[in-house]
Amino acid sequence: MATDKGSSSGAVLEPGVSIRPYVPEKVACELVERVFGLKVVKIKELKSYDDKNFFVKVEENNNNNAFLEAICTDGYVLKITNSHDSKTPDLLDGQNQLMLHLNERGFTCTVPQKTVDGKLASLQKLFKQDIDDWKLNNMAKECPCDFHLVRLLTFVPGDILANIHVTTDILYQAGRYIAQMNVAMEEFHHPVFDTHKTVWSLESVPKLLEFVFGIRSAENRELVKEIVKVFEERVPKNYPQMKKGQLHGDFNEQNILVRAKTNTGSGSPPEFYIAGILDFGDSHFSYYLFEVALTITYMMMESKKVDNIDFFECGGHVLAGYFSIKPLSDLEFQILKVGCVTSDICVSRV
């Protein structure tokens, strides 16, 4: 799908539009010190699509932020949001509040830190290219720049599910964990999610038809069209009977944090447990069934790393884990496979 996957809104951007911030390490260090009152001692740029993210460690005995009670010894992630999403600060605030909500309820996730002004984000004017001292002093007003929201999140140590050998137990845990999150988010509300829509939600499946021209294979184009047709025939008419709530929206192998169990025997391969969740950029308010379908889809894609298990059987383990906490209705279960999982595969691949 020709959309801005890096942006929270999932909006379609015009070709050639540059929204990614230009942030050298020296500027990142300066932002941490000026905006958050902390002195950087170690910095490393992290992979990101349209944002700029840095892992930073700071001096533990040099806290010039009255709103920061203690230094996170594991470090922080400095997030400089792209100029497109920086125009919707309410959406980023909703994501911040959701992280705080889950953290308060025992879930391990990144936690936004307050600036020296007591805010969870700061809008900063940044140059679009490298500026030397002469230009800074004599031509600053003529140099291209843009506005970007800057946040500092606690760093959560661990590995991601994509890097481990997946077992049926991990699949079950995945279903159970996202169900526990869905239950915890039942108490959460932020007005921005009342109207926020994203093309990455299954509610937007009909929009896939706008992008099938990008599929080279005529056979695959027709397959996508057929799946969209089935979705439109079977799912929207049942919306009044389907339960809605706050969703994470992107519970995939890159965003699931895992840690090794400490009681595995000597010489045995390590066993892992799901320890936390990352990236709330696609969070939105929609139908729980779609969260289940998305989780099943991503875990089925991980099936190649599971020994002696069928592609579709992976989904069964995820579903069993989800049902152990939050069962679906008979109606939701009936439309899950044909109406949702196949559609989500299309959303992920088109």
Side-chain angles (χ1 to χ4, degrees):
M1 187 182 297
T3 66
D4 171 24
K5 184 63 180 81
S7 85
S8 301
S9 62
V12 179
L13 296 177
E14 293 295 328
V17 174
S18 176
I19 61 176
R20 196 167 190 252
Y22 174 79
V23 186
E25 287 188 358
K26 63 179 182 180
V27 175
C29 293
E30 187 270 336
L31 286 171
V32 173
E33 185 168 3
R34 178 167 53 82
V35 179
F36 297 97
L38 302 173
K39 184 71 173 179
V40 174
V41 295
K42 179 181 179 181
I43 184 169
K44 177 184 178 181
E45 184 171 352
L46 304 174
K47 290 182 179 179
S48 182
Y49 189 70
D50 278 326
D51 300 331
K52 271 277 191 172
N53 297 333
F54 293 90
F55 168 74
V56 297
K57 298 206 77 170
V58 301
E59 291 182 3
E60 297 182 13
N61 298 317
N62 190 1
N63 180 2
N64 295 308
N65 187 338
F67 296 95
L68 189 63
E69 295 182 0
I71 299 294
C72 178
T73 56
D74 291 321
Y76 298 93
V77 175
L78 176 69
K79 293 186 68 69
I80 302 101
T81 302
N82 65 78
S83 58
H84 178 266
D85 286 345
S86 293
K87 296 174 182 177
T88 55
D90 288 347
L91 181 56
L92 292 184
D93 183 65
Q95 296 167 12
N96 285 338
Q97 297 302 329
L98 182 54
M99 286 184 274
L100 292 170
H101 175 88
L102 289 171
N103 180 259
E104 290 170 356
R105 284 154 182 78
F107 288 86
T108 299
C109 60
T110 53
V111 178
Q113 305 297 290
K114 289 185 177 181
T115 67
V116 292
D117 297 324
K119 300 176 182 179
L120 294 176
S122 176
L123 189 64
Q124 297 289 314
K125 186 177 182 180
L126 301 175
F127 293 113
K128 289 186 175 182
Q129 60 190 35
D130 197 15
I131 303 297
D132 58 32
D133 290 339
W134 186 88
K135 286 185 178 180
L136 184 64
N137 294 326
N138 298 278
M139 300 179 60
K141 292 183 179 181
E142 300 175 23
C143 295
C145 59
D146 219 329
F147 289 91
H148 299 272
L149 281 168
V150 177
R151 292 181 292 170
L152 191 69
L153 310 177
T154 53
F155 177 78
V156 182
D159 207 344
I160 55 175
L161 189 143
N163 293 337
I164 69 167
H165 179 78
V166 179
T167 64
T168 55
D169 179 59
I170 282 290
L171 296 174
Y172 181 88
Q173 286 186 51
R176 186 178 177 87
Y177 194 90
I178 193 61
Q180 291 172 326
M181 280 183 58
N182 285 163
V183 170
M185 291 188 290
E186 289 176 358
E187 304 172 352
F188 176 80
H189 176 259
H190 191 288
V192 72
F193 293 116
D194 293 341
T195 56
H196 172 60
K197 301 297 181 183
T198 169
V199 295
W200 301 102
S201 168
L202 282 183
E203 288 184 76
S204 299
V205 162
K207 292 182 179 294
L208 288 176
L209 296 179
E210 300 175 15
F211 302 96
V212 292
F213 67 86
I215 303 175
R216 294 183 179 180
S217 166
E219 181 179 356
N220 288 341
R221 282 198 301 271
E222 292 306 311
L223 177 60
V224 170
K225 291 178 182 179
E226 180 61 28
I227 291 173
V228 171
K229 179 182 178 181
V230 171
F231 179 92
E232 291 181 312
E233 290 175 349
R234 301 191 183 188
V235 181
K237 67 180 181 181
N238 292 305
Y239 282 163
Q241 287 76 48
M242 293 165 55
K243 296 180 180 179
K244 299 183 76 173
Q246 190 70 33
L247 311 183
H248 175 268
D250 200 16
F251 195 70
N252 66 55
E253 72 284 354
Q254 299 291 332
N255 292 333
I256 300 174
L257 185 73
V258 297
R259 291 176 184 157
K261 297 179 180 179
T262 57
N263 59 349
T264 54
S266 177
S268 302
E271 296 180 12
F272 293 87
Y273 68 95
I274 294 180
I277 180 68
L278 307 172
D279 192 356
F280 289 80
D282 288 323
S283 185
H284 60 284
F285 190 87
S286 190
Y287 300 95
Y288 290 120
L289 179 61
F290 295 165
E291 187 96 278
V292 181
L294 181 143
T295 304
I296 288 175
T297 299
Y298 280 124
M299 293 305 104
M300 287 171 67
M301 293 177 180
E302 291 295 294
S303 64
K304 60 183 180 295
K305 297 193 296 184
V306 185
D307 294 333
N308 302 316
I309 185 170
D310 179 77
F311 177 80
F312 292 102
E313 189 180 340
C314 284
H317 290 283
V318 175
L319 196 58
Y322 193 91
F323 272 39
S324 70
I325 299 295
K326 188 178 178 64
L328 299 175
S329 68
D330 291 341
L331 172 64
E332 291 169 324
F333 182 71
Q334 289 172 15
I335 64 176
L336 175 63
K337 179 181 177 181
V338 177
C340 292
V341 173
T342 50
S343 299
D344 194 69
I345 293 174
C346 288
V347 172
S348 301
R349 288 294 180 250
V350 174

